[in-house]
């Protein structure tokens, strides 16, 4: 490869990283803003907060749909087409949530966010594959985590000034539309952008580098892989089933906080705008927890100390009615919850006997299932008891995660 070709390839690689950074940052902003928008939409549309549980369900349905059909779709679509499509659909969904005059329009908006956002996370690992993928993904995910903190702050600030705080969701649309334009215009030499998904591998120093998974707050990745061939053993099936359930449990705990944290703060007597501002406590804890990483001590699973922090945060959120203690509990819960999804997804993808890319798709379906069910179940409990008591539902989820994270006879679950 000549020096000029290497320079063009390196430039294309940086361009891909910038585009994925824009995509995941916009997604982080939208997802972190969903929880703050629950309380504000309930007020604006005069709907009970529990009915707004479908806000996350719409996103989950879009995620599951793309997890099922996305890999096949990408066999005929080019990377620029897929990324541009996902960007435009996600931007449209964010606009609908921001200006929706009726409940049905809000649900349509979250469905669009789910469809578009899942398409972006489907394409991202294919564009950033290669020997430096882990470092590049760490950079873009760090930016995305930081962007997620801004969403509740912006929503609370705008709501406090008079207009509805959900108008802050409009801020995600311009970068997504810019991303669509940039992606369609570029197809650099040596870049992954111009390839279809039936050409997902790149040669580096004579080796073939497969796609790797993206880990973004509350936005699971979908990998591509060959179809399973032959029959797998019963133990492999059990290992995958346990790994799938662990991802479901970890994402369930996370999204109970993502969707209902601001509503819980409102229930303490805070004005909606102030509650939205304090709602940044959970993503702040998440960002700090992701920066620290999993806590490893002796032979213990890192799920155990992380889950213990999450349980302590849950108790603070549920047992006390002081806004300050509830906000502190959200920070503590965020610190504990942050490593759970990356750790459980990594363990699932590392299950021996099956393609890691196919297992990434299984993880995506697990995440979609959790996002579809957990916030809705919490909402149902909140109708029977109050939201403060309903939050205790996360404790048995954490306990089940503890039980499934013990060392088994064949696979050491992390």
């Amino acid at each position: 490869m000549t020096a000029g070709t290497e320079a063009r390839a390196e430039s294309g690689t940086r361009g891909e990283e910038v585009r994925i950074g824009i995509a995941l940052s916009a997604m982080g902003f939208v997802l972190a803003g969903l929880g703050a928008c629950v309380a504000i939409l309930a007020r604006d549309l005069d709907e009970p907060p529990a009915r707004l549980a479908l806000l996350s369900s719409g996103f989950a349905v879009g995620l599951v749909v793309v997890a099922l059909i996305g890999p096949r779709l990408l066999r005929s679509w080019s990377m620029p087409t897929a990324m541009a499509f996902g960007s435009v659909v996600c931007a449209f969904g964010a606009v609908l949530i921001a200006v929706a005059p009726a409940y049905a329009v809000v649900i349509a908006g979250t469905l669009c966010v789910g469809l578009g956002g899942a398409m972006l996370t489907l394409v991202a690992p294919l564009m950033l594959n290669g020997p430096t993928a882990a470092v590049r993904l760490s950079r873009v995910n760090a930016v995305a985590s930081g962007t997620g903190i801004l969403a509740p702050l912006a929503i609370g600030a705008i709501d406090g000034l008079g207009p509805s705080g959900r108008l802050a969701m409009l801020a995600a649309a311009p970068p997504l539309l810019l991303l669509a334009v940039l992606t369609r215009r570029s197809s650099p030499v040596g870049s992954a952008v111009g390839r279809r998904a039936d050409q997902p591998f790149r040669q580096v120093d004579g080796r073939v580098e497969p796609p790797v998974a993206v880990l973004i707050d509350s936005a699971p990745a979908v990998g591509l892989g060959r179809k399973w061939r032959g029959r797998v053993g019963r133990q492999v099936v059990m290992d995958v089933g346990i790994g799938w359930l662990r991802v479901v449990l970890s994402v369930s705990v996370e999204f109970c906080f993502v969707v209902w944290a601001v509503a819980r703060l409102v229930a303490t007597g805070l004005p909606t705008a102030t509650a939205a501002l304090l709602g940044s406590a959970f993503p702040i804890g998440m960002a700090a927890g992701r920066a620290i990483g999993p806590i490893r001590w002796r032979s213990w699973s890192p799920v155990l100390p992380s889950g213990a922090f999450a349980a302590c945060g849950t108790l603070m959120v549920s047992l006390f009615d002081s806004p300050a203690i509830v906000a502190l509990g959200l920070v503590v819960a965020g610190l504990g919850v942050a490593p759970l999804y990356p750790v459980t997804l990594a363990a699932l993808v590392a299950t021996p006997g099956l393609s890691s890319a196919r297992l990434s798709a299984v993880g995506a379906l697990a995440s979609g299932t959790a996002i579809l069910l957990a916030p809705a179940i919490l909402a149902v409990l909140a109708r029977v008891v109050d939201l403060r008591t309903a939050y205790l539902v996360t404790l048995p989820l954490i306990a089940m995660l503890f039980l499934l994270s013990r060392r088994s006879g064949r696979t050491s679950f992390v």
Side-chain angles (χ1 to χ4, degrees):
M1 183 181 290
T2 66
T5 304
E6 289 181 353
R8 288 195 298 273
E10 185 176 349
S11 176
T13 298
R14 283 196 295 267
E16 290 169 9
E17 190 172 332
V18 169
R19 284 188 287 276
I20 294 301
I22 293 173
L24 300 189
S25 295
M27 275 298 300
F29 186 91
V30 172
L31 292 178
L34 285 180
C37 284
V38 167
I40 291 175
L41 283 164
R43 180 200 65 197
D44 292 352
L45 304 179
D46 196 23
E47 295 279 357
R51 196 175 181 216
L52 269 298
L54 286 178
L55 200 67
S56 61
S57 299
F59 171 76
V61 168
L63 177 66
V64 171
V65 168
V66 171
L68 293 173
I69 70 171
R72 181 171 298 177
L73 190 67
L74 285 180
R75 294 184 186 277
S76 56
W77 283 15
S78 68
M79 296 288 184
T81 300
M83 178 160 275
F85 173 81
S87 301
V88 172
V89 172
C90 189
F92 182 66
V95 171
L96 286 182
I97 294 172
V99 302
Y103 177 76
V105 179
V106 174
I107 300 304
T110 56
L111 180 60
C112 288
V113 168
L115 287 169
M119 184 61 72
L120 292 175
T121 56
L122 178 67
V123 173
L126 301 179
M127 292 180 64
L128 294 185
N129 64 345
T132 60
V135 175
R136 298 164 70 195
L137 286 170
S138 296
R139 285 198 293 260
V140 297
N141 281 300
V143 174
S145 296
T147 304
I149 298 173
L150 300 177
L153 294 175
I155 290 171
I158 292 176
D159 202 72
L161 294 174
S164 174
R166 59 192 171 107
L167 291 176
M169 298 289 272
L170 293 172
L176 286 169
L177 295 177
L178 174 63
L179 174 65
V181 174
L182 292 176
T183 302
R184 292 296 295 166
R185 286 182 176 178
S186 59
S187 182
V189 176
S191 170
V193 174
R195 292 185 281 109
R196 299 191 311 276
D198 57 358
Q199 305 164 319
F201 301 100
R202 155 188 319 188
Q203 292 218 355
V204 179
D205 296 332
R207 301 188 312 275
V208 176
E209 295 289 344
V212 294
V214 156
L215 297 179
I216 177 177
D217 293 353
S218 315
V222 183
L224 294 177
R226 298 177 180 177
K227 293 181 179 180
W228 294 355
R229 294 178 178 176
R231 300 179 63 183
V232 297
R234 179 178 299 179
Q235 184 63 51
V236 174
V237 173
M238 290 185 63
D239 288 347
V240 172
I242 292 173
W244 178 88
L245 183 55
R246 292 170 78 238
V247 174
V248 169
L249 292 169
S250 63
V251 176
S252 294
V253 174
E254 179 176 335
F255 259 76
C256 282
F257 285 97
V258 167
V259 174
W260 291 109
V262 174
R264 175 68 188 100
L265 287 164
V266 170
T268 66
L270 288 175
T272 304
T274 306
L277 285 168
L278 287 178
S280 62
F282 183 71
I284 286 173
M286 285 279 290
R290 291 275 163 89
I292 295 170
I295 300 174
R296 301 183 183 276
W297 188 68
R298 295 185 178 178
S299 61
W300 287 22
S301 165
V303 168
L304 299 180
S306 298
F309 267 101
C312 289
T314 297
L315 292 174
M316 295 173 70
V317 169
S318 181
L319 299 182
F320 298 90
D321 216 26
S322 164
I325 296 179
V326 171
L328 180 59
L330 292 173
V331 174
V332 174
L335 283 169
V337 168
L340 294 180
Y341 169 69
V343 165
T344 54
L345 180 63
L348 172 63
V349 173
T351 303
L354 292 175
S355 160
S356 60
R358 179 61 62 180
L359 289 166
S360 292
V362 173
L365 289 174
S367 299
T369 301
I371 298 169
L372 185 64
L373 296 179
I377 292 173
L378 192 148
V380 170
L381 290 175
R383 292 181 181 181
V384 178
V385 293
D386 56 6
L387 182 59
R388 171 180 173 177
T389 307
Y391 248 105
L392 293 173
V393 73
T394 58
L395 294 181
L397 298 178
I398 295 170
M400 290 178 63
L401 190 56
F402 281 168
L403 292 175
L404 293 175
S405 297
R406 297 181 301 175
R407 294 182 182 275
S408 71
R410 178 180 176 189
T411 303
S412 177
F413 289 106
V414 296

